Amino acid sequence: MQACGKGNRLAFEAMYHATSARLFGICLHYSGNRAEAEEVLQEVYIMAWLKASRFDPQLASAMTWLATMARNKAIDRRRAHRRHDPLETIPELSTQDSIPDSLEREQQGSQLDRCLETLEEAQQRYIRVAFFEGCSYAELAERHGIALGTMKSWIRRGLLRLRLCLGL
């Protein structure tokens, strides 16, 4: 990522090849439409190219940084199109993963569910709504009548506990 930040096109190409499939899956999941997902993915890589010099490996891995941008951009685009469909109505991803990849993802999902269950019920609910339904912290705080700073703190502490539980 640091080489990309210095304008190295070969590094950017390598980063694209290493991350595009996973990022496309994220974009498709949140947009629910292949054409939209492709557009979002393109915007993510443009942003990544423009902001790569600001990437800080002390804060997150490159994949986490890119995945967060993809998720946020897809959610923003969906909101801009006023498509507030519940998560359940988003079509299932049609992936071509191998069976071992599918099993690994299923195990990771089970582990995440187990770790979420270690959190307080409200914390679980806020994290699920924020990350799986795409609500902003401000929307959650307003919806539940909680100060925005308090909501951010609760979710942040919950995410830290999840991170420890998941061994990340």
Side-chain angles (χ1 to χ4, degrees), residues 23 26-31 40-41 43-44 47 51 63-80 129-137:
L23 293 180
I26 292 168
C27 294
L28 185 59
H29 177 76
Y30 284 99
S31 65
V40 170
L41 186 63
E43 291 175 22
V44 168
M47 260 187 350
K51 295 183 177 188
M63 188 62 206
T64 300
W65 186 67
L66 290 166
T68 301
M69 282 198 300
R71 176 189 171 277
N72 292 344
K73 182 59 87 175
I75 290 170
D76 289 347
R77 189 176 186 94
R78 186 175 171 160
R79 284 181 181 151
V129 171
F131 290 92
F132 299 132
E133 294 180 23
C135 276
S136 70
Y137 294 169

PDB file of all heavy atoms in Angstrom, residues 23 26-31 40-41 43-44 47 51 63-80 129-137:
ATOM      1  N   LEU A  23     -13.021  -7.905  -2.360  1.00  0.00           N
ATOM      2  CA  LEU A  23     -13.698  -6.610  -2.288  1.00  0.00           C
ATOM      3  C   LEU A  23     -14.972  -6.597  -3.136  1.00  0.00           C
ATOM      4  O   LEU A  23     -15.973  -5.996  -2.747  1.00  0.00           O
ATOM      5  CB  LEU A  23     -12.762  -5.481  -2.711  1.00  0.00           C
ATOM      6  CG  LEU A  23     -11.577  -5.219  -1.792  1.00  0.00           C
ATOM      7  CD1 LEU A  23     -10.736  -4.076  -2.323  1.00  0.00           C
ATOM      8  CD2 LEU A  23     -12.023  -4.940  -0.364  1.00  0.00           C
ATOM      9  N   ILE A  26     -17.717  -8.066  -1.137  1.00  0.00           N
ATOM     10  CA  ILE A  26     -18.241  -7.106  -0.152  1.00  0.00           C
ATOM     11  C   ILE A  26     -19.179  -6.124  -0.843  1.00  0.00           C
ATOM     12  O   ILE A  26     -20.293  -5.866  -0.371  1.00  0.00           O
ATOM     13  CB  ILE A  26     -17.091  -6.371   0.558  1.00  0.00           C
ATOM     14  CG1 ILE A  26     -16.309  -7.342   1.442  1.00  0.00           C
ATOM     15  CG2 ILE A  26     -17.608  -5.181   1.366  1.00  0.00           C
ATOM     16  CD1 ILE A  26     -14.992  -6.800   1.970  1.00  0.00           C
ATOM     17  N   CYS A  27     -18.734  -5.580  -1.970  1.00  0.00           N
ATOM     18  CA  CYS A  27     -19.562  -4.614  -2.711  1.00  0.00           C
ATOM     19  C   CYS A  27     -20.876  -5.247  -3.152  1.00  0.00           C
ATOM     20  O   CYS A  27     -21.939  -4.631  -3.029  1.00  0.00           O
ATOM     21  CB  CYS A  27     -18.802  -4.092  -3.923  1.00  0.00           C
ATOM     22  SG  CYS A  27     -17.342  -3.111  -3.524  1.00  0.00           S
ATOM     23  N   LEU A  28     -20.810  -6.465  -3.641  1.00  0.00           N
ATOM     24  CA  LEU A  28     -22.008  -7.162  -4.097  1.00  0.00           C
ATOM     25  C   LEU A  28     -22.958  -7.440  -2.937  1.00  0.00           C
ATOM     26  O   LEU A  28     -24.170  -7.274  -3.049  1.00  0.00           O
ATOM     27  CB  LEU A  28     -21.626  -8.462  -4.800  1.00  0.00           C
ATOM     28  CG  LEU A  28     -22.756  -9.264  -5.438  1.00  0.00           C
ATOM     29  CD1 LEU A  28     -23.486  -8.428  -6.484  1.00  0.00           C
ATOM     30  CD2 LEU A  28     -22.199 -10.528  -6.066  1.00  0.00           C
ATOM     31  N   HIS A  29     -22.392  -7.827  -1.803  1.00  0.00           N
ATOM     32  CA  HIS A  29     -23.211  -8.108  -0.630  1.00  0.00           C
ATOM     33  C   HIS A  29     -24.011  -6.879  -0.201  1.00  0.00           C
ATOM     34  O   HIS A  29     -25.203  -6.982   0.075  1.00  0.00           O
ATOM     35  CB  HIS A  29     -22.321  -8.577   0.523  1.00  0.00           C
ATOM     36  CG  HIS A  29     -23.067  -8.811   1.788  1.00  0.00           C
ATOM     37  ND1 HIS A  29     -23.847  -9.926   1.988  1.00  0.00           N
ATOM     38  CD2 HIS A  29     -23.170  -8.068   2.920  1.00  0.00           C
ATOM     39  CE1 HIS A  29     -24.398  -9.860   3.192  1.00  0.00           C
ATOM     40  NE2 HIS A  29     -24.003  -8.751   3.770  1.00  0.00           N
ATOM     41  N   TYR A  30     -23.365  -5.736  -0.155  1.00  0.00           N
ATOM     42  CA  TYR A  30     -24.046  -4.539   0.331  1.00  0.00           C
ATOM     43  C   TYR A  30     -24.879  -3.837  -0.734  1.00  0.00           C
ATOM     44  O   TYR A  30     -25.832  -3.152  -0.400  1.00  0.00           O
ATOM     45  CB  TYR A  30     -23.052  -3.570   0.962  1.00  0.00           C
ATOM     46  CG  TYR A  30     -22.632  -4.028   2.329  1.00  0.00           C
ATOM     47  CD1 TYR A  30     -21.437  -4.704   2.524  1.00  0.00           C
ATOM     48  CD2 TYR A  30     -23.458  -3.839   3.422  1.00  0.00           C
ATOM     49  CE1 TYR A  30     -21.070  -5.156   3.770  1.00  0.00           C
ATOM     50  CE2 TYR A  30     -23.102  -4.292   4.674  1.00  0.00           C
ATOM     51  CZ  TYR A  30     -21.902  -4.951   4.841  1.00  0.00           C
ATOM     52  OH  TYR A  30     -21.552  -5.413   6.077  1.00  0.00           O
ATOM     53  N   SER A  31     -24.546  -4.002  -1.996  1.00  0.00           N
ATOM     54  CA  SER A  31     -25.340  -3.338  -3.026  1.00  0.00           C
ATOM     55  C   SER A  31     -26.439  -4.255  -3.548  1.00  0.00           C
ATOM     56  O   SER A  31     -27.485  -3.779  -3.961  1.00  0.00           O
ATOM     57  CB  SER A  31     -24.453  -2.867  -4.182  1.00  0.00           C
ATOM     58  OG  SER A  31     -23.873  -3.955  -4.845  1.00  0.00           O
ATOM     59  N   VAL A  40     -19.196   0.430  -7.611  1.00  0.00           N
ATOM     60  CA  VAL A  40     -18.664   0.716  -6.280  1.00  0.00           C
ATOM     61  C   VAL A  40     -17.209   0.272  -6.191  1.00  0.00           C
ATOM     62  O   VAL A  40     -16.354   1.007  -5.685  1.00  0.00           O
ATOM     63  CB  VAL A  40     -19.508   0.029  -5.179  1.00  0.00           C
ATOM     64  CG1 VAL A  40     -18.826   0.120  -3.823  1.00  0.00           C
ATOM     65  CG2 VAL A  40     -20.899   0.644  -5.120  1.00  0.00           C
ATOM     66  N   LEU A  41     -16.919  -0.910  -6.705  1.00  0.00           N
ATOM     67  CA  LEU A  41     -15.548  -1.419  -6.665  1.00  0.00           C
ATOM     68  C   LEU A  41     -14.597  -0.481  -7.400  1.00  0.00           C
ATOM     69  O   LEU A  41     -13.502  -0.190  -6.914  1.00  0.00           O
ATOM     70  CB  LEU A  41     -15.479  -2.826  -7.260  1.00  0.00           C
ATOM     71  CG  LEU A  41     -14.131  -3.512  -7.154  1.00  0.00           C
ATOM     72  CD1 LEU A  41     -13.749  -3.737  -5.685  1.00  0.00           C
ATOM     73  CD2 LEU A  41     -14.160  -4.844  -7.897  1.00  0.00           C
ATOM     74  N   GLU A  43     -14.972   2.724  -7.799  1.00  0.00           N
ATOM     75  CA  GLU A  43     -14.813   3.909  -6.952  1.00  0.00           C
ATOM     76  C   GLU A  43     -13.866   3.632  -5.787  1.00  0.00           C
ATOM     77  O   GLU A  43     -13.081   4.499  -5.395  1.00  0.00           O
ATOM     78  CB  GLU A  43     -16.174   4.361  -6.429  1.00  0.00           C
ATOM     79  CG  GLU A  43     -17.075   4.923  -7.503  1.00  0.00           C
ATOM     80  CD  GLU A  43     -18.470   5.252  -6.986  1.00  0.00           C
ATOM     81  OE1 GLU A  43     -18.633   5.441  -5.761  1.00  0.00           O
ATOM     82  OE2 GLU A  43     -19.397   5.329  -7.809  1.00  0.00           O
ATOM     83  N   VAL A  44     -13.934   2.435  -5.241  1.00  0.00           N
ATOM     84  CA  VAL A  44     -13.056   2.063  -4.127  1.00  0.00           C
ATOM     85  C   VAL A  44     -11.603   2.089  -4.569  1.00  0.00           C
ATOM     86  O   VAL A  44     -10.738   2.628  -3.871  1.00  0.00           O
ATOM     87  CB  VAL A  44     -13.433   0.680  -3.551  1.00  0.00           C
ATOM     88  CG1 VAL A  44     -12.367   0.165  -2.601  1.00  0.00           C
ATOM     89  CG2 VAL A  44     -14.782   0.750  -2.856  1.00  0.00           C
ATOM     90  N   MET A  47     -10.448   5.632  -5.014  1.00  0.00           N
ATOM     91  CA  MET A  47     -10.174   6.198  -3.686  1.00  0.00           C
ATOM     92  C   MET A  47      -8.871   5.656  -3.117  1.00  0.00           C
ATOM     93  O   MET A  47      -8.083   6.397  -2.526  1.00  0.00           O
ATOM     94  CB  MET A  47     -11.323   5.868  -2.716  1.00  0.00           C
ATOM     95  CG  MET A  47     -12.276   6.992  -2.518  1.00  0.00           C
ATOM     96  SD  MET A  47     -13.545   6.752  -1.227  1.00  0.00           S
ATOM     97  CE  MET A  47     -13.507   5.084  -0.718  1.00  0.00           C
ATOM     98  N   LYS A  51      -5.807   7.893  -2.018  1.00  0.00           N
ATOM     99  CA  LYS A  51      -5.569   8.010  -0.575  1.00  0.00           C
ATOM    100  C   LYS A  51      -4.515   7.048  -0.051  1.00  0.00           C
ATOM    101  O   LYS A  51      -4.290   6.985   1.163  1.00  0.00           O
ATOM    102  CB  LYS A  51      -6.882   7.774   0.181  1.00  0.00           C
ATOM    103  CG  LYS A  51      -7.921   8.832  -0.093  1.00  0.00           C
ATOM    104  CD  LYS A  51      -9.161   8.579   0.732  1.00  0.00           C
ATOM    105  CE  LYS A  51     -10.177   9.684   0.499  1.00  0.00           C
ATOM    106  NZ  LYS A  51     -11.299   9.566   1.415  1.00  0.00           N
ATOM    107  N   MET A  63      -5.863  -4.892   3.736  1.00  0.00           N
ATOM    108  CA  MET A  63      -7.139  -5.526   3.372  1.00  0.00           C
ATOM    109  C   MET A  63      -8.284  -4.963   4.210  1.00  0.00           C
ATOM    110  O   MET A  63      -9.372  -4.707   3.692  1.00  0.00           O
ATOM    111  CB  MET A  63      -7.039  -7.048   3.531  1.00  0.00           C
ATOM    112  CG  MET A  63      -8.226  -7.779   2.992  1.00  0.00           C
ATOM    113  SD  MET A  63      -8.407  -7.499   1.215  1.00  0.00           S
ATOM    114  CE  MET A  63     -10.147  -7.742   1.028  1.00  0.00           C
ATOM    115  N   THR A  64      -8.047  -4.760   5.498  1.00  0.00           N
ATOM    116  CA  THR A  64      -9.083  -4.190   6.361  1.00  0.00           C
ATOM    117  C   THR A  64      -9.427  -2.779   5.913  1.00  0.00           C
ATOM    118  O   THR A  64     -10.597  -2.398   5.854  1.00  0.00           O
ATOM    119  CB  THR A  64      -8.617  -4.192   7.830  1.00  0.00           C
ATOM    120  OG1 THR A  64      -8.358  -5.538   8.222  1.00  0.00           O
ATOM    121  CG2 THR A  64      -9.652  -3.569   8.745  1.00  0.00           C
ATOM    122  N   TRP A  65      -8.409  -1.997   5.575  1.00  0.00           N
ATOM    123  CA  TRP A  65      -8.598  -0.613   5.120  1.00  0.00           C
ATOM    124  C   TRP A  65      -9.437  -0.602   3.843  1.00  0.00           C
ATOM    125  O   TRP A  65     -10.417   0.139   3.734  1.00  0.00           O
ATOM    126  CB  TRP A  65      -7.231   0.024   4.906  1.00  0.00           C
ATOM    127  CG  TRP A  65      -7.235   1.473   4.568  1.00  0.00           C
ATOM    128  CD1 TRP A  65      -7.617   2.508   5.365  1.00  0.00           C
ATOM    129  CD2 TRP A  65      -6.811   2.055   3.329  1.00  0.00           C
ATOM    130  NE1 TRP A  65      -7.452   3.695   4.690  1.00  0.00           N
ATOM    131  CE2 TRP A  65      -6.956   3.437   3.443  1.00  0.00           C
ATOM    132  CE3 TRP A  65      -6.305   1.525   2.145  1.00  0.00           C
ATOM    133  CZ2 TRP A  65      -6.617   4.319   2.426  1.00  0.00           C
ATOM    134  CZ3 TRP A  65      -5.966   2.407   1.122  1.00  0.00           C
ATOM    135  CH2 TRP A  65      -6.125   3.777   1.260  1.00  0.00           C
ATOM    136  N   LEU A  66      -9.079  -1.450   2.890  1.00  0.00           N
ATOM    137  CA  LEU A  66      -9.811  -1.521   1.624  1.00  0.00           C
ATOM    138  C   LEU A  66     -11.231  -2.057   1.824  1.00  0.00           C
ATOM    139  O   LEU A  66     -12.183  -1.547   1.232  1.00  0.00           O
ATOM    140  CB  LEU A  66      -9.050  -2.403   0.630  1.00  0.00           C
ATOM    141  CG  LEU A  66      -7.747  -1.832   0.097  1.00  0.00           C
ATOM    142  CD1 LEU A  66      -6.932  -2.924  -0.601  1.00  0.00           C
ATOM    143  CD2 LEU A  66      -7.997  -0.660  -0.837  1.00  0.00           C
ATOM    144  N   ALA A  67     -11.373  -3.076   2.649  1.00  0.00           N
ATOM    145  CA  ALA A  67     -12.694  -3.662   2.895  1.00  0.00           C
ATOM    146  C   ALA A  67     -13.626  -2.651   3.554  1.00  0.00           C
ATOM    147  O   ALA A  67     -14.816  -2.580   3.229  1.00  0.00           O
ATOM    148  CB  ALA A  67     -12.562  -4.915   3.758  1.00  0.00           C
ATOM    149  N   THR A  68     -13.088  -1.873   4.466  1.00  0.00           N
ATOM    150  CA  THR A  68     -13.893  -0.833   5.121  1.00  0.00           C
ATOM    151  C   THR A  68     -14.343   0.206   4.105  1.00  0.00           C
ATOM    152  O   THR A  68     -15.505   0.634   4.117  1.00  0.00           O
ATOM    153  CB  THR A  68     -13.095  -0.172   6.262  1.00  0.00           C
ATOM    154  OG1 THR A  68     -12.721  -1.184   7.196  1.00  0.00           O
ATOM    155  CG2 THR A  68     -13.902   0.905   6.956  1.00  0.00           C
ATOM    156  N   MET A  69     -13.426   0.607   3.229  1.00  0.00           N
ATOM    157  CA  MET A  69     -13.813   1.568   2.183  1.00  0.00           C
ATOM    158  C   MET A  69     -14.887   0.978   1.282  1.00  0.00           C
ATOM    159  O   MET A  69     -15.847   1.667   0.928  1.00  0.00           O
ATOM    160  CB  MET A  69     -12.599   1.985   1.347  1.00  0.00           C
ATOM    161  CG  MET A  69     -11.717   2.996   2.022  1.00  0.00           C
ATOM    162  SD  MET A  69     -10.599   3.858   0.895  1.00  0.00           S
ATOM    163  CE  MET A  69      -9.629   2.541   0.215  1.00  0.00           C
ATOM    164  N   ALA A  70     -14.743  -0.297   0.909  1.00  0.00           N
ATOM    165  CA  ALA A  70     -15.719  -0.942   0.033  1.00  0.00           C
ATOM    166  C   ALA A  70     -17.089  -1.000   0.708  1.00  0.00           C
ATOM    167  O   ALA A  70     -18.109  -0.671   0.100  1.00  0.00           O
ATOM    168  CB  ALA A  70     -15.245  -2.346  -0.341  1.00  0.00           C
ATOM    169  N   ARG A  71     -17.110  -1.426   1.945  1.00  0.00           N
ATOM    170  CA  ARG A  71     -18.362  -1.526   2.693  1.00  0.00           C
ATOM    171  C   ARG A  71     -19.030  -0.160   2.799  1.00  0.00           C
ATOM    172  O   ARG A  71     -20.220   0.000   2.497  1.00  0.00           O
ATOM    173  CB  ARG A  71     -18.084  -2.081   4.085  1.00  0.00           C
ATOM    174  CG  ARG A  71     -19.301  -2.138   4.969  1.00  0.00           C
ATOM    175  CD  ARG A  71     -18.899  -2.483   6.406  1.00  0.00           C
ATOM    176  NE  ARG A  71     -20.019  -2.331   7.298  1.00  0.00           N
ATOM    177  CZ  ARG A  71     -20.405  -1.178   7.836  1.00  0.00           C
ATOM    178  NH1 ARG A  71     -19.752  -0.075   7.596  1.00  0.00           N
ATOM    179  NH2 ARG A  71     -21.454  -1.128   8.627  1.00  0.00           N
ATOM    180  N   ASN A  72     -18.256   0.839   3.221  1.00  0.00           N
ATOM    181  CA  ASN A  72     -18.818   2.181   3.409  1.00  0.00           C
ATOM    182  C   ASN A  72     -19.307   2.782   2.097  1.00  0.00           C
ATOM    183  O   ASN A  72     -20.375   3.392   2.043  1.00  0.00           O
ATOM    184  CB  ASN A  72     -17.794   3.092   4.074  1.00  0.00           C
ATOM    185  CG  ASN A  72     -17.517   2.693   5.502  1.00  0.00           C
ATOM    186  OD1 ASN A  72     -18.257   1.935   6.112  1.00  0.00           O
ATOM    187  ND2 ASN A  72     -16.420   3.173   6.050  1.00  0.00           N
ATOM    188  N   LYS A  73     -18.539   2.608   1.039  1.00  0.00           N
ATOM    189  CA  LYS A  73     -18.912   3.168  -0.263  1.00  0.00           C
ATOM    190  C   LYS A  73     -20.189   2.486  -0.772  1.00  0.00           C
ATOM    191  O   LYS A  73     -21.084   3.152  -1.296  1.00  0.00           O
ATOM    192  CB  LYS A  73     -17.760   2.987  -1.250  1.00  0.00           C
ATOM    193  CG  LYS A  73     -18.010   3.568  -2.616  1.00  0.00           C
ATOM    194  CD  LYS A  73     -18.278   5.041  -2.593  1.00  0.00           C
ATOM    195  CE  LYS A  73     -17.018   5.860  -2.656  1.00  0.00           C
ATOM    196  NZ  LYS A  73     -17.326   7.296  -2.758  1.00  0.00           N
ATOM    197  N   ALA A  74     -20.296   1.180  -0.615  1.00  0.00           N
ATOM    198  CA  ALA A  74     -21.497   0.463  -1.062  1.00  0.00           C
ATOM    199  C   ALA A  74     -22.717   0.908  -0.262  1.00  0.00           C
ATOM    200  O   ALA A  74     -23.796   1.122  -0.828  1.00  0.00           O
ATOM    201  CB  ALA A  74     -21.288  -1.044  -0.935  1.00  0.00           C
ATOM    202  N   ILE A  75     -22.550   1.065   1.034  1.00  0.00           N
ATOM    203  CA  ILE A  75     -23.664   1.519   1.871  1.00  0.00           C
ATOM    204  C   ILE A  75     -24.053   2.941   1.512  1.00  0.00           C
ATOM    205  O   ILE A  75     -25.238   3.263   1.378  1.00  0.00           O
ATOM    206  CB  ILE A  75     -23.309   1.394   3.369  1.00  0.00           C
ATOM    207  CG1 ILE A  75     -23.239  -0.084   3.766  1.00  0.00           C
ATOM    208  CG2 ILE A  75     -24.321   2.148   4.233  1.00  0.00           C
ATOM    209  CD1 ILE A  75     -22.663  -0.328   5.148  1.00  0.00           C
ATOM    210  N   ASP A  76     -23.071   3.816   1.329  1.00  0.00           N
ATOM    211  CA  ASP A  76     -23.357   5.201   0.949  1.00  0.00           C
ATOM    212  C   ASP A  76     -24.113   5.259  -0.378  1.00  0.00           C
ATOM    213  O   ASP A  76     -25.075   6.000  -0.520  1.00  0.00           O
ATOM    214  CB  ASP A  76     -22.065   6.015   0.826  1.00  0.00           C
ATOM    215  CG  ASP A  76     -21.413   6.294   2.161  1.00  0.00           C
ATOM    216  OD1 ASP A  76     -22.067   6.086   3.209  1.00  0.00           O
ATOM    217  OD2 ASP A  76     -20.235   6.709   2.165  1.00  0.00           O
ATOM    218  N   ARG A  77     -23.674   4.476  -1.326  1.00  0.00           N
ATOM    219  CA  ARG A  77     -24.321   4.472  -2.639  1.00  0.00           C
ATOM    220  C   ARG A  77     -25.751   3.953  -2.527  1.00  0.00           C
ATOM    221  O   ARG A  77     -26.669   4.484  -3.139  1.00  0.00           O
ATOM    222  CB  ARG A  77     -23.513   3.617  -3.604  1.00  0.00           C
ATOM    223  CG  ARG A  77     -23.974   3.712  -5.020  1.00  0.00           C
ATOM    224  CD  ARG A  77     -23.030   2.893  -5.894  1.00  0.00           C
ATOM    225  NE  ARG A  77     -23.349   3.056  -7.270  1.00  0.00           N
ATOM    226  CZ  ARG A  77     -22.794   3.931  -8.089  1.00  0.00           C
ATOM    227  NH1 ARG A  77     -21.855   4.740  -7.649  1.00  0.00           N
ATOM    228  NH2 ARG A  77     -23.150   3.991  -9.339  1.00  0.00           N
ATOM    229  N   ARG A  78     -25.932   2.935  -1.720  1.00  0.00           N
ATOM    230  CA  ARG A  78     -27.268   2.373  -1.524  1.00  0.00           C
ATOM    231  C   ARG A  78     -28.195   3.402  -0.869  1.00  0.00           C
ATOM    232  O   ARG A  78     -29.341   3.569  -1.268  1.00  0.00           O
ATOM    233  CB  ARG A  78     -27.158   1.121  -0.663  1.00  0.00           C
ATOM    234  CG  ARG A  78     -28.437   0.399  -0.510  1.00  0.00           C
ATOM    235  CD  ARG A  78     -28.216  -0.864   0.251  1.00  0.00           C
ATOM    236  NE  ARG A  78     -29.512  -1.413   0.560  1.00  0.00           N
ATOM    237  CZ  ARG A  78     -29.718  -2.639   0.875  1.00  0.00           C
ATOM    238  NH1 ARG A  78     -28.710  -3.469   0.938  1.00  0.00           N
ATOM    239  NH2 ARG A  78     -30.912  -3.074   1.143  1.00  0.00           N
ATOM    240  N   ARG A  79     -27.664   4.101   0.122  1.00  0.00           N
ATOM    241  CA  ARG A  79     -28.471   5.141   0.779  1.00  0.00           C
ATOM    242  C   ARG A  79     -28.797   6.267  -0.189  1.00  0.00           C
ATOM    243  O   ARG A  79     -29.901   6.810  -0.172  1.00  0.00           O
ATOM    244  CB  ARG A  79     -27.719   5.703   1.980  1.00  0.00           C
ATOM    245  CG  ARG A  79     -27.715   4.802   3.161  1.00  0.00           C
ATOM    246  CD  ARG A  79     -26.977   5.439   4.310  1.00  0.00           C
ATOM    247  NE  ARG A  79     -26.949   4.551   5.449  1.00  0.00           N
ATOM    248  CZ  ARG A  79     -25.998   4.538   6.358  1.00  0.00           C
ATOM    249  NH1 ARG A  79     -24.992   5.379   6.275  1.00  0.00           N
ATOM    250  NH2 ARG A  79     -26.045   3.712   7.353  1.00  0.00           N
ATOM    251  N   ALA A  80     -27.838   6.620  -1.014  1.00  0.00           N
ATOM    252  CA  ALA A  80     -28.058   7.698  -1.978  1.00  0.00           C
ATOM    253  C   ALA A  80     -29.165   7.338  -2.965  1.00  0.00           C
ATOM    254  O   ALA A  80     -29.883   8.201  -3.445  1.00  0.00           O
ATOM    255  CB  ALA A  80     -26.769   8.004  -2.731  1.00  0.00           C
ATOM    256  N   VAL A 129     -26.624  -4.217  13.917  1.00  0.00           N
ATOM    257  CA  VAL A 129     -27.342  -3.237  13.103  1.00  0.00           C
ATOM    258  C   VAL A 129     -26.353  -2.324  12.379  1.00  0.00           C
ATOM    259  O   VAL A 129     -26.515  -2.030  11.192  1.00  0.00           O
ATOM    260  CB  VAL A 129     -28.327  -2.417  13.968  1.00  0.00           C
ATOM    261  CG1 VAL A 129     -28.920  -1.262  13.189  1.00  0.00           C
ATOM    262  CG2 VAL A 129     -29.439  -3.318  14.490  1.00  0.00           C
ATOM    263  N   ALA A 130     -25.300  -1.907  13.079  1.00  0.00           N
ATOM    264  CA  ALA A 130     -24.320  -1.009  12.460  1.00  0.00           C
ATOM    265  C   ALA A 130     -23.582  -1.685  11.315  1.00  0.00           C
ATOM    266  O   ALA A 130     -23.407  -1.095  10.242  1.00  0.00           O
ATOM    267  CB  ALA A 130     -23.333  -0.506  13.505  1.00  0.00           C
ATOM    268  N   PHE A 131     -23.164  -2.920  11.512  1.00  0.00           N
ATOM    269  CA  PHE A 131     -22.301  -3.550  10.522  1.00  0.00           C
ATOM    270  C   PHE A 131     -23.017  -4.456   9.539  1.00  0.00           C
ATOM    271  O   PHE A 131     -22.546  -4.637   8.425  1.00  0.00           O
ATOM    272  CB  PHE A 131     -21.162  -4.295  11.222  1.00  0.00           C
ATOM    273  CG  PHE A 131     -20.196  -3.338  11.835  1.00  0.00           C
ATOM    274  CD1 PHE A 131     -20.342  -2.938  13.153  1.00  0.00           C
ATOM    275  CD2 PHE A 131     -19.167  -2.795  11.084  1.00  0.00           C
ATOM    276  CE1 PHE A 131     -19.475  -2.021  13.713  1.00  0.00           C
ATOM    277  CE2 PHE A 131     -18.294  -1.873  11.637  1.00  0.00           C
ATOM    278  CZ  PHE A 131     -18.445  -1.489  12.954  1.00  0.00           C
ATOM    279  N   PHE A 132     -24.147  -5.020   9.916  1.00  0.00           N
ATOM    280  CA  PHE A 132     -24.831  -5.917   8.998  1.00  0.00           C
ATOM    281  C   PHE A 132     -25.991  -5.241   8.281  1.00  0.00           C
ATOM    282  O   PHE A 132     -26.417  -5.697   7.237  1.00  0.00           O
ATOM    283  CB  PHE A 132     -25.312  -7.178   9.721  1.00  0.00           C
ATOM    284  CG  PHE A 132     -24.182  -7.975  10.315  1.00  0.00           C
ATOM    285  CD1 PHE A 132     -24.251  -8.420  11.623  1.00  0.00           C
ATOM    286  CD2 PHE A 132     -23.055  -8.278   9.585  1.00  0.00           C
ATOM    287  CE1 PHE A 132     -23.210  -9.164  12.178  1.00  0.00           C
ATOM    288  CE2 PHE A 132     -22.011  -9.012  10.126  1.00  0.00           C
ATOM    289  CZ  PHE A 132     -22.090  -9.458  11.427  1.00  0.00           C
ATOM    290  N   GLU A 133     -26.521  -4.174   8.855  1.00  0.00           N
ATOM    291  CA  GLU A 133     -27.616  -3.462   8.203  1.00  0.00           C
ATOM    292  C   GLU A 133     -27.186  -2.100   7.693  1.00  0.00           C
ATOM    293  O   GLU A 133     -27.945  -1.416   7.028  1.00  0.00           O
ATOM    294  CB  GLU A 133     -28.803  -3.319   9.159  1.00  0.00           C
ATOM    295  CG  GLU A 133     -29.437  -4.652   9.500  1.00  0.00           C
ATOM    296  CD  GLU A 133     -30.613  -4.516  10.440  1.00  0.00           C
ATOM    297  OE1 GLU A 133     -31.224  -3.422  10.495  1.00  0.00           O
ATOM    298  OE2 GLU A 133     -30.926  -5.495  11.125  1.00  0.00           O
ATOM    299  N   GLY A 134     -25.981  -1.670   8.069  1.00  0.00           N
ATOM    300  CA  GLY A 134     -25.440  -0.432   7.529  1.00  0.00           C
ATOM    301  C   GLY A 134     -25.919   0.849   8.183  1.00  0.00           C
ATOM    302  O   GLY A 134     -25.785   1.916   7.597  1.00  0.00           O
ATOM    303  N   CYS A 135     -26.461   0.777   9.384  1.00  0.00           N
ATOM    304  CA  CYS A 135     -26.866   1.997  10.088  1.00  0.00           C
ATOM    305  C   CYS A 135     -25.631   2.724  10.604  1.00  0.00           C
ATOM    306  O   CYS A 135     -24.687   2.097  11.065  1.00  0.00           O
ATOM    307  CB  CYS A 135     -27.763   1.671  11.281  1.00  0.00           C
ATOM    308  SG  CYS A 135     -29.474   1.470  10.843  1.00  0.00           S
ATOM    309  N   SER A 136     -25.672   4.025  10.556  1.00  0.00           N
ATOM    310  CA  SER A 136     -24.569   4.807  11.109  1.00  0.00           C
ATOM    311  C   SER A 136     -24.719   4.868  12.631  1.00  0.00           C
ATOM    312  O   SER A 136     -25.797   4.616  13.181  1.00  0.00           O
ATOM    313  CB  SER A 136     -24.576   6.219  10.529  1.00  0.00           C
ATOM    314  OG  SER A 136     -25.686   6.951  11.036  1.00  0.00           O
ATOM    315  N   TYR A 137     -23.647   5.222  13.300  1.00  0.00           N
ATOM    316  CA  TYR A 137     -23.700   5.368  14.753  1.00  0.00           C
ATOM    317  C   TYR A 137     -24.712   6.451  15.128  1.00  0.00           C
ATOM    318  O   TYR A 137     -25.448   6.308  16.100  1.00  0.00           O
ATOM    319  CB  TYR A 137     -22.332   5.730  15.322  1.00  0.00           C
ATOM    320  CG  TYR A 137     -21.272   4.660  15.189  1.00  0.00           C
ATOM    321  CD1 TYR A 137     -19.949   4.943  15.449  1.00  0.00           C
ATOM    322  CD2 TYR A 137     -21.586   3.359  14.813  1.00  0.00           C
ATOM    323  CE1 TYR A 137     -18.963   3.971  15.343  1.00  0.00           C
ATOM    324  CE2 TYR A 137     -20.613   2.389  14.702  1.00  0.00           C
ATOM    325  CZ  TYR A 137     -19.303   2.696  14.966  1.00  0.00           C
ATOM    326  OH  TYR A 137     -18.336   1.744  14.861  1.00  0.00           O
TER     327      TYR A 137
END
